[in-house]
Amino acid sequence: MASAQTISTAIIGVTGYEGANLARLLATHPHFRLVAATARASAGQRLGQALPALGGSAVAALTITEDVPDAELVFIAAPHGPAATLAAEQLRLHRRVIDLSADFRFPSAAHYAAVYGHAH
């Protein structure tokens, strides 16, 4: 049986609820390698310092940055609104993006506007 490829991964917004949970899951996932994590307020800290639940995992030693260096796949764990802009930036860099916000959750811009009270 062939071994699965390991995908280099980044998380934008790692210190929020969704980003922290995702970091915990990726820390031990055999097919994803967390290579970068961003959080403006925590930039410069070690990931394990900002997220003690990561314990002694290998990703705990990552330094949180403000920008995403090279990664094949970028998870965006930012609030809706800014997440759409962040996704567009990553897509322009030809990266695969998974957005955890509500920005792309609805089937149309009209539905988004009806739920959130402002244009998409």
Side-chain angles (χ1 to χ4, degrees):
M1 175 164 51
S3 63
Q5 177 185 9
T6 301
I7 300 169
S8 63
T9 307
I11 301 172
I12 295 177
V14 73
T15 56
Y17 180 79
E18 292 297 329
N21 281 324
L22 180 59
R24 184 181 52 77
L25 293 169
L26 293 178
T28 58
H29 198 287
H31 302 298
F32 294 94
R33 182 173 45 92
L34 187 61
V35 297
T38 74
R40 286 191 181 113
S42 300
Q45 290 184 13
R46 296 282 181 203
L47 191 54
Q49 180 183 3
L51 304 174
L54 292 176
S57 67
V59 299
L62 278 176
T63 299
I64 298 173
T65 62
E66 287 189 40
D67 297 311
V68 176
D70 245 358
E72 297 172 70
L73 172 65
V74 178
F75 287 93
I76 299 180
H80 65 277
T85 302
L86 294 166
E89 290 170 5
Q90 296 304 312
L91 290 168
R92 274 193 296 277
L93 295 170
H94 306 286
R95 295 180 177 146
R96 292 180 283 171
V97 173
I98 297 175
D99 179 26
L100 302 177
S101 79
D103 280 346
F104 301 101
R105 186 173 296 159
F106 299 108
S108 69
H111 191 168
Y112 178 95
V115 172
Y116 288 105
H118 58 85
H120 186 272

